[in-house]
Structures are given as C-alpha cells and as structure tokens.
Amino acid sequence: MYLHHTILPEGLTNTMESTTVVGFSVQVRIGFPRGVPLSLLEGFEVDVDDGSSRRHFSGEQIAFGLRGRSYRPADLIDLVTQRWEMGEVARLEITLAGGLPTGPHRVTVTQFLRVGATPEPARTVGTRTVALTDHQPGNSGASHTPPANAAARKGSME
Amino acid sequence: MHRAVSFYSYQQAYYLRELTLEQCIETTVGFGADGIETLAEQMMPGFPDLDDYFYSTWHHWMQRYHATPLVHDMFLDLQLFSGRELSPAEQIELLKRDIRHTARLGCRFLRMVVLTPPDVVAACISYAEKYSVALLLEVHTPWHIEHEWIQQHLETYARFGPHNVGIIPDFGIFVAKFPRLQGERALRTGVRPDIVEHVIGSYDAACGGRTGPADLSSLVADVQSMGGGPAEVGFAREASRHVWSNPESLLDVMSYVHHVHAKFWEVTETCDGLREYSIPYPELIATLRKGCYTGYLSSEYEGQLWLRDIDQVDEIGAVRAHQQMLSDLIDERE
C-alpha cells in the first residue's frame, strides 16, 4: 500500500543505550488503507542495502514502537485495545550491535497484516533510500504524529 | 438520484496528511455533492472510542457545509484474534457497536463487508431498526448479485423486508473492459508484454457477449501454459477477480438496493462526454432509472492502486471528474 510512502524519508537513526550503539530504527506508516488493532500485526521484515552489504532482519530482531511504547512480537498477540491508525507514524527498532554506517541506505520494509478472511497475512512491501541521521536513545517508541483531526479534539472547532 | 462521495476516495491525501476529515467534507460539497460516506477506521482515529466532542464537532461540520451524513463503512476483522475466527456472538457485538456509531453520526446506512454472514445480519436487524439504521451488504467483486452467497443473503433479508436491510452494489461488478491503468502498471512492473496483451484480450472477449458473468476460469492456466512466471501468474489472478455481470441483474433486487458504490479508476473524455474507461456508467444509470432508484451514487475512487508506484495520484482531480460525469448522466436539471 502506497509503496515508498510507508517508509518516511527522515528518521533512520542508530539507537543507543547509554554510550553503546545497539541497533537502528526507521519510521514507518501502515501499508494498508485503514488503521488496525495491533493484534492484526503479524510481524515485519527489514532489509537494508547500502551498496556494499545487504542485511535482513525479522522476528525478535524487530520491536514495534508506537506513541511512546515499544512492543516485541509476543506483546502484539491479541492486543485489540490499541490501534495503529492510518497514516500514523510508528518506529521499527532493529537490534544490531554497532548499528548502521552513516550515509544512504536502501531500506525495504515488509509488513504482514492479518486483515483478510483467512489467517494468511497480507504482505505489503515498501522500499525507499534513506540517509542515516543522528543517534536516538534506544526503545524510544514512535516519534508522535498528531492525528489529522486534531481539530476534533477538545479546545478547537477549526 | 443524488450524489455522494465515499472518503475511501481520498485515502492517500489523508494518509499523507494533505487533507483532514473536515477538508474532505468541504471538498466533497464543493463538487455539488451532499452525501458523505466515511470509514471510521480510516479517518476517525480513536474509533471505536470516539468521545462526545468528536460527534458534536461532526454535526457542526454537517451544518456548516450543508452536508448529509449518509453511510458508515464498517470493517469486520474475522481474524482479529490469533489462531481463531471471531465467533458469531463476537461478530454480532461488533456489528451492534458499529450500528451505534452509525446512529451517532446521523447516518441512515451502515455498510457491511461482503463476508458478513447472513445469520449475523439477521440477528442485528431489529437492533438496527431501534436506531433507525439500515444494514446494507456491499456486493463487491469477485462476488455479484446472482452469486450464491448474495442470494443466500437476499433470501434471509426477505424474512424481514427491505426497510432496514439491503445491499450496496459496487459498480466494480460491472467491469466491461479491462482497466487500462492496471495493464499499464503491469507493464511498468515487468510483466511480459505478450502476456499482458493476452490477459487483456481474453478479459475483453469474455465480456463481449455482455450476458455475464464472464467466465475467466482459464486465465491463470493460459498464462501458465505460455510460460508465465510468478509476476505473470499474479497478474492473471488479479485479472480473474474482475467481474462483468449484467446490469439488468439490478432490476431483480431493486427493492433492496438502498445505496450504490460508484466505483471508478479512470474517467476519460470521449466524444460522448466524460466516461469511465471500464465501467459502462450510462447503461448502469439508465438501469437504475428504470428501476426507479432514488438513492445516492457514491463516488469511490480506487485508481490509486495502479498509480501509486509512479506517484501520480490526484484523488481530488479524479473525484471532481467523476462527480461531473455523474452530474451529466443523472441530468440533475430535470
């Protein structure tokens, strides 16, 4: 869904715990034309190609960060009370000692969403070349994008 | 007949935060349409726990823009829980939840996805009646009106009569000519040109008799015998999901047709005026008129599917053209 728009052009960063680089994170949007309960997220795969090397990440190597919280794959099972809204920016946090080198990286994110009538998940693949920027503290969850209908919240009728 | 827009049409603009929900309403009435069809799970973050302020703001917008809240499009995630399908009781509770949301929006209609079981619908009709909501099953490709599943639904609905239950035909079940944009995208993504040509030719030939539904069962086997790889077979599978069915099939069920999804992918200028490339709108609107349909035609743009790889999606422009075509064909001056 929306292919490269599922990966944001900014926000590819290495993540640190204390002074140690423990991985990297990338900002993503859902690859589906509506939001879904987190229980429908069956997992992600991330592929990074910087020209000299190709790396593949999946399963427990990837945590899903949304609105300040970080979820491991097991945390998402049957989690129906939280939703990933359409267009809302989330963060995938990938474990990789030493992180990624600076410079451009061709990042491919595959999302597996159990949105069909059968248990077989739908698969969305987005690819974008993104440049690595500054370090970010580890397990920070998503950079928060306010919902588009902020005017529908208390305090404003605009 | 009247005009509406399903906000599914504006999905990419909303996704990229180029349009807010309010701006979708403003844009729609700017086309001269008053009917508003929304998808809560798409543009109402916080659903199903929207607060009173949201609903009061919504009604303020309806007044401000002289819009008519018309349809809430529900989704039913049968695989909501890992390892099992939702039970009928769980499905009924979700449908009742969405009935309440539909009523709070002031909408008359709730769109049910085509896989909703007839028994689940039957269990909710009297509940919907209390909220003055009619439950409408969307008849969407690859199903069609004469399909056994839809006929089962209609047989169930006949026990209750058409006032609070019915169907929404999606015009995607009347695809008379293979969508040009879909073929062009296949070529861009490397599907063999000879196979693209074969699939398009086969589809158009199968629909040529116009007595529908067209038989496309051999498409995948044909492509495999031509040595097609995964991309080619995938294209053939996608193509075989299109449906050409006889517009006259609407007349048999007209008392249950309360709303229409005016699906479109590409509106083109022809010597006869604006026309959808694949779907015969003049014939369909004439059929609806023959059946004395007085409901809404809701523009539902889906061309994004085949343009997103080249970033040429113009949803507002597409809906503007479609709304003009509808206006011309409905002939609102009379």
Side-chain angles (χ1 to χ4, degrees):
Chain A
M1 186 69 207
Y2 308 127
L3 298 179
H4 65 284
H5 287 306
T6 57
I7 301 171
L8 273 73
E10 67 279 351
L12 177 65
T13 62
N14 280 332
T15 54
M16 301 184 68
E17 284 180 2
S18 185
T19 58
T20 306
V21 177
V22 296
F24 67 97
S25 68
V26 59
Q27 296 195 100
V28 293
R29 297 184 182 99
I30 194 169
F32 200 56
R34 63 174 166 102
V36 300
L38 297 190
S39 68
L40 298 185
L41 302 184
E42 285 252 328
F44 301 88
E45 291 177 358
V46 177
D47 292 87
V48 182
D49 181 354
D50 62 10
S52 60
S53 68
R54 291 180 184 176
R55 308 180 207 230
H56 175 80
F57 306 89
S58 63
E60 288 294 329
Q61 294 174 301
I62 303 174
F64 176 72
L66 186 69
R67 296 192 291 272
R69 289 191 59 182
S70 185
Y71 301 89
R72 288 286 166 194
D75 300 328
L76 298 173
I77 295 173
D78 292 350
L79 182 56
V80 301
T81 55
Q82 299 296 318
R83 293 175 54 85
W84 187 14
E85 302 291 0
M86 192 179 85
E88 183 178 17
V89 177
R91 187 181 289 280
L92 299 183
E93 301 158 351
I94 298 94
T95 303
L96 175 65
L100 293 175
T102 55
H105 299 271
R106 190 142 182 87
V107 179
T108 298
V109 174
T110 304
Q111 304 180 21
F112 296 91
L113 305 172
R114 200 175 62 248
V115 290
T118 70
E120 184 69 27
R123 185 172 161 269
T124 299
V125 183
T127 299
R128 194 163 201 163
T129 298
V130 190
L132 189 80
T133 56
D134 293 334
H135 294 315
Q136 175 119 349
N139 295 325
S140 62
S143 59
H144 179 63
T145 299
N149 304 317
R153 308 297 180 198
K154 285 184 194 284
S156 173
M157 290 289 281
E158 291 301 316
Chain B
M1 285 178 262
H2 311 280
R3 290 184 283 128
V5 176
S6 166
F7 286 8
Y8 183 84
S9 303
Y10 305 130
Q11 59 184 268
Q12 179 156 320
Y14 181 86
Y15 185 85
L16 297 176
R17 299 298 187 258
E18 293 167 354
L19 282 181
T20 64
L21 176 58
E22 181 182 3
Q23 288 167 335
C24 291
I25 298 166
E26 183 180 16
T27 299
T28 296
V29 301
F31 298 143
D34 67 285
I36 304 296
E37 178 166 2
T38 54
L39 299 77
E41 294 195 55
Q42 193 174 78
M43 295 192 186
M44 296 176 183
F47 178 84
D49 299 314
L50 298 167
D51 57 24
D52 292 344
Y53 191 75
F54 171 85
Y55 289 108
S56 66
T57 304
W58 168 263
H59 288 289
H60 168 76
W61 289 338
M62 292 297 104
Q63 284 184 353
R64 180 178 185 178
Y65 296 106
H66 305 289
T68 303
L70 194 61
V71 189
H72 158 59
D73 284 16
M74 175 188 179
F75 291 93
L76 185 62
D77 288 311
L78 295 174
Q79 304 296 326
L80 185 62
F81 296 102
S82 176
R84 69 173 179 89
E85 189 171 289
L86 284 180
S87 68
E90 288 170 326
Q91 294 177 47
I92 288 167
E93 284 312 302
L94 289 175
L95 184 44
K96 286 181 177 178
R97 177 198 73 185
D98 279 56
I99 288 168
R100 293 190 292 273
H101 168 71
T102 303
R104 290 204 72 179
L105 289 179
C107 293
R108 169 68 177 133
F109 302 120
L110 182 155
R111 187 285 311 261
M112 301 179 291
V113 292
V114 67
L115 289 175
T116 309
D119 290 348
V120 168
V121 179
C124 294
I125 292 174
S126 59
Y127 189 86
E129 186 175 15
K130 284 192 288 195
Y131 286 87
S132 300
V133 170
L135 304 178
L136 306 183
L137 186 83
E138 181 175 5
V139 182
H140 191 287
T141 180
W143 291 267
H144 51 84
I145 289 170
E146 294 169 337
H147 192 283
E148 184 183 347
W149 177 249
I150 305 303
Q151 291 298 311
Q152 277 183 36
H153 271 270
L154 290 168
E155 285 168 16
T156 300
Y157 302 169
R159 297 181 353 227
F160 300 90
H163 186 67
N164 291 301
V165 68
I167 62 173
I168 302 176
D170 180 296
F171 276 2
I173 66 175
F174 302 111
V175 177
K177 194 161 69 165
F178 194 83
R180 175 167 59 187
L181 296 181
Q182 187 176 8
E184 289 175 351
R185 180 161 190 261
L187 291 171
R188 284 197 304 272
T189 57
V191 178
R192 266 172 51 187
D194 61 320
I195 287 183
V196 172
E197 186 179 348
H198 174 79
V199 167
I200 293 174
S202 299
Y203 185 90
D204 290 350
C207 299
R210 305 297 288 271
T211 56
D215 180 4
L216 301 165
S217 56
S218 66
L219 260 182
V220 171
D222 283 354
V223 167
Q224 288 169 330
S225 70
M226 292 172 72
E232 286 73 24
V233 171
F235 176 61
R237 281 212 175 91
E238 280 179 18
S240 63
R241 286 178 61 85
H242 286 305
V243 172
W244 163 251
S245 52
N246 190 343
E248 295 279 305
S249 63
L250 288 166
L251 297 175
D252 297 331
V253 298
M254 191 56 73
S255 60
Y256 287 93
V257 177
H258 297 298
H259 186 62
V260 167
H261 276 173
K263 174 64 58 66
F264 73 102
W265 299 295
E266 183 186 11
V267 175
T268 61
E269 290 188 17
T270 75
C271 52
D272 295 316
L274 294 172
R275 294 289 183 267
E276 213 290 330
Y277 182 84
S278 298
I279 298 171
Y281 268 81
E283 188 175 348
L284 289 165
I285 289 176
T287 304
L288 290 173
R289 189 173 284 121
K290 189 175 172 183
C292 301
Y293 179 71
T294 57
Y296 282 76
L297 293 161
S298 189
S299 294
E300 191 180 63
Y301 177 55
E302 207 172 47
Q304 309 91 337
L305 281 179
W306 302 315
L307 292 171
R308 64 197 186 204
D309 61 314
I310 52 174
D311 238 349
Q312 288 185 4
V313 175
D314 175 12
E315 291 165 329
I316 294 176
V319 174
R320 179 183 295 114
H322 190 256
Q323 283 284 311
Q324 183 63 58
M325 183 189 75
L326 289 181
S327 177
D328 293 343
L329 291 172
I330 291 171
D331 197 4
E332 289 169 336
R333 289 166 298 170
E334 292 189 354

